[in-house]
Amino acid sequence: MAMNLRVPEDLDRRLDQLAAEEHTSKSALLLQGAELVLQRHRSSREINEGLDFVMSHDADLLTRLEDA
């Protein structure tokens, strides 16, 4: 799928520099960045779901440990 993306001039310049250093394209760098954002979001959601589970299933235990 083709997509147009407006990148601020400073960011575009820094992407050019990094792409040259890494011998890759700006497009490849932006795809890597998008993948990192998705991974971070998924990890954050999984952590929050885990905490919600613990808080709902072990609330009494956590309260007893808090008082100990």
Side-chain angles (χ1 to χ4, degrees), residues 40-51:
R40 183 183 301 160
H41 184 269
R42 185 182 65 239
S43 294
S44 191
R45 184 178 55 234
E46 289 172 355
I47 289 168
N48 287 333
E49 288 172 356
L51 288 172

Side-chain angles (χ1 to χ4, degrees), residues 48-63:
N48 287 333
E49 288 172 356
L51 288 172
D52 289 344
F53 178 84
V54 168
M55 294 302 290
S56 65
H57 287 79
D58 297 324
D60 291 337
L61 174 62
L62 291 172
T63 301

Side-chain angles (χ1 to χ4, degrees), residues 2 4 6-7 14 18-19 21-22 24 26-27 32-33 35-36 38 41 50-51 54 58-59 62-63 65-67:
N4 290 327
R6 295 181 193 272
V7 179
R14 291 185 294 156
L18 182 58
E21 290 172 10
E22 297 292 323
T24 190
K26 288 191 293 187
S27 179
Q32 289 174 21
E35 189 62 41
L36 288 172
L38 292 171
H41 184 269
L51 288 172
V54 168
D58 297 324
L62 291 172
T63 301
L65 288 172
E66 183 180 272
D67 294 337

